[in-house]
């Protein structure tokens, strides 16, 4: 019996505290005009001092469970995509599992920076399709504000905190009726580590470190690699990029998104963007954008949705699903 992973529900959480470009320009040499023009970002959410990645993740997960009409006892797999775990160990997924009161199944984190949600979706899909697990909570959650150098204007204006979650369920072909994750394409080129990394870590410095990025070099790689991944996943499904209903990109830079839309002949009104109000929330940006599209009624059951991301590693990838 062939099984498919269906998205049964999604949920989002953004911390209450909002940091505007205007406020940032009082502490670092930047301006609202520069940030908007170069990135499309107007403001971002910042987690409160006592709010951890697992708190954001648990909020988003509860909202996703509610939208799926399920509760903790239905879930047998928790996967958190994050680069900003609460602790070095155990995994944030283990902490979230406990916060949600889930007492069965497995839990682990996936670390592929901004591509984390695509890597995790691809992984969870395989766990469900194999029959190993029945229902999964897949969460992208980040407190990137904790690893920013707030004196570095080239990076601190770009990122925000937040979490988004999917509840996925394994269904047989009849029940799935064409819905579900169809395929995914994952890449990494570790030779490009130095373009985007954190200058600290357990084994290297025994400290957390801060985000360092050669932004314009990453930018130059982005449109080409993202477009290649998107073309690959649709080709594997024997369709064209222009056959999709919705494009849900990682929200790193509005100019990158527009570049991809132009290169692949998509229409601007097919794109779900949240970057203006959230900035780049790394592994959380795709589920946050997807939920925004579902909540306002744009993404409907049966729609063909294409997701993509690129991040540190460099990692990049895309996934195709029927909502
Ligand atoms: O999600 C993970 C993947 N990340 C990305 O995809 C990010 C990719 N990169 C980008 O989005 C863009 O490269 C940035 C938004 C980071 C930067 O935009 P850019 O158009 O590539 O600018 P740049 O780095 O080439 O810098 C242009 C100028 C420089 O000044 P000079 O040398 O021309 O005098 C920078 O020092 O802008 C300056 N600059 C700033 N000015 C005001 C850099 N950051 C700022 C700032 N405010 N915040």
């Amino acid at each position: 019996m062939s099984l498919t992973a269906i998205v049964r529900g999604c949920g989002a959480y953004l911390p209450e505290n909002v940091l505007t470009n205007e406020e940032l320009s009082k502490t670092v040499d930047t301006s609202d005009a520069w940030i908007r023009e170069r990135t499309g970002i107007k403001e971002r959410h910042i987690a409160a001092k006592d709010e951890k990645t697992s708190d954001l993740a648990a909020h988003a997960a509860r909202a996703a469970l509610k939208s799926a009409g399920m509760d903790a006892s239905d879930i047998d797999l928790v996967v958190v995509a994050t680069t900003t775990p609460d602790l070095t160990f155990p995994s944030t997924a283990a902490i979230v599992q406990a916060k949600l009161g889930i007492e069965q199944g497995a839990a682990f984190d996936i670390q592929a920076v901004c591509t984390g949600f695509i890597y995790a979706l691809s992984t969870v899909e395989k766990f469900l399709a194999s029959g190993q697990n029945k229902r999964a909570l897949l969460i992208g959650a980040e407190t990137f504000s904790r690893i920013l150098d707030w004196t570095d204007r080239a990076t601190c204006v770009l990122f925000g905190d937040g979490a988004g979650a999917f509840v996925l369920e394994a269904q047989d072909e009849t029940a799935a009726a064409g819905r579900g994750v169809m395929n995914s394409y994952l890449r990494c080129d570790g030779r490009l580590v130095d373009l985007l990394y954190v200058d600290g870590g357990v084994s290297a410095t025994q400290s957390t470190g801060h985000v360092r990025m050669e932004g314009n070099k990453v930018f130059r790689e982005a449109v080409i690699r993202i477009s290649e991944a998107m073309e690959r996943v649709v080709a594997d499904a024997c369709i064209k990029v222009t056959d999709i209903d919705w494009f849900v990109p990682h929200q790193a830079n509005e100019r990158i998104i527009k570049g991809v839309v132009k290169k692949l002949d998509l229409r601007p009104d097919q794109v779900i963007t949240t970057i203006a109000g959230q900035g780049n929330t790394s592994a959380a940006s795709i589920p946050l954008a997807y939920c925004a599209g579902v909540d306002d009624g744009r993404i409907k059951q049966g729609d063909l949705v294409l997701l993509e991301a690129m991040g540190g590693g460099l990692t990049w990838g895309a996934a195709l699903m029927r909502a």
Side-chain angles (χ1 to χ4, degrees), residues 40 51 86 91 101 134-135 156 169 179 185 207 212 241 264 305:
E51 249 181 339
D86 288 15
S91 68
K134 179 73 183 141
R135 293 190 196 91
C156 76
E169 182 176 58
R179 294 176 63 205
Y185 175 70
S207 65
R212 304 295 172 205
V241 173
L264 298 183
V305 184

Side-chain angles (χ1 to χ4, degrees), residues 40 223 247 249 253-264 266 268 271 273:
V223 175
F247 172 38
N253 188 317
E254 199 173 60
R255 289 187 294 142
I256 294 174
I257 297 171
K258 284 183 175 162
V260 170
V261 166
K262 192 166 171 223
K263 188 166 166 34
L264 298 183
L266 288 164
V271 190
T273 49

Side-chain angles (χ1 to χ4, degrees), residues 29-31 34 38-39 114 153-154 157-158 196 213 215-216 218-219 250 252-253 255-256 280 310-311:
D29 182 17
T30 189
S31 66
W34 190 96
R38 301 287 179 124
T39 70
C114 297
R153 67 178 184 174
V157 304
L158 304 174
L196 176 52
M213 174 163 71
N216 47 13
V218 176
F219 192 101
H250 167 50
N253 188 317
R255 289 187 294 142
I256 294 174
N280 179 351
M310 190 181 105

Side-chain angles (χ1 to χ4, degrees), residues 40-260:
I41 300 166
K42 295 178 186 163
E43 57 189 31
R44 69 287 290 143
H45 294 251
I46 304 292
K49 268 206 171 101
D50 60 352
E51 249 181 339
K52 296 190 280 293
T53 295
S54 64
D55 296 314
L56 276 49
H59 281 301
R62 283 189 196 101
L65 283 171
K66 192 172 172 202
S67 93
M70 293 187 200
D71 61 37
S73 64
D74 293 314
I75 301 298
D76 63 3
L77 178 65
V78 179
V79 176
V80 176
T82 189
T83 301
T84 47
D86 288 15
L87 302 168
T88 302
F89 82 82
S91 68
T92 302
I95 299 167
V96 171
Q97 192 206 43
K99 282 185 176 167
L100 296 173
I102 299 170
E103 293 174 4
Q104 63 287 335
F108 59 89
D109 287 357
I110 284 196
Q111 216 285 47
V113 205
C114 297
T115 319
F117 197 79
I118 300 286
Y119 268 62
L121 180 65
S122 181
T123 305
V124 166
E125 185 270 323
K126 287 165 183 65
F127 273 68
L128 296 182
S130 74
Q132 184 167 336
N133 297 81
K134 179 73 183 141
R135 293 190 196 91
L137 255 172
L138 165 57
I139 310 163
E142 301 279 17
T143 48
F144 242 67
S145 61
R146 305 271 156 77
I147 53 166
L148 293 174
D149 173 354
W150 288 99
T151 66
D152 176 16
R153 67 178 184 174
T155 52
C156 76
V157 304
L158 304 174
F159 296 91
D161 300 335
F166 283 3
V167 172
L168 291 124
E169 182 176 58
Q171 290 188 354
D172 65 32
E173 262 176 70
T174 315
R179 294 176 63 205
V181 180
M182 295 158 73
N183 52 43
S184 54
Y185 175 70
L186 305 180
R187 288 294 311 275
C188 177
D189 186 344
R191 292 170 299 179
L192 301 174
V193 163
D194 291 347
L195 297 192
L196 176 52
Y197 66 103
V198 165
D199 61 0
V202 181
S203 181
T205 63
Q206 299 82 57
S207 65
T208 312
H210 295 110
V211 175
R212 304 295 172 205
M213 174 163 71
E214 293 200 49
N216 47 13
K217 289 192 184 160
V218 176
F219 192 101
R220 279 203 290 275
E221 301 289 338
V223 175
I224 302 163
R225 289 171 195 263
I226 289 166
S227 304
E228 174 233 325
M230 288 167 66
E231 283 178 321
R232 179 67 182 261
V233 279
V234 297
D236 287 350
C238 299
I239 61 164
K240 298 189 294 293
V241 173
T242 45
D243 292 333
I244 64 158
D245 295 303
W246 297 105
F247 172 38
V248 182
H250 167 50
Q251 315 278 318
N253 188 317
E254 199 173 60
R255 289 187 294 142
I256 294 174
I257 297 171
K258 284 183 175 162
V260 170

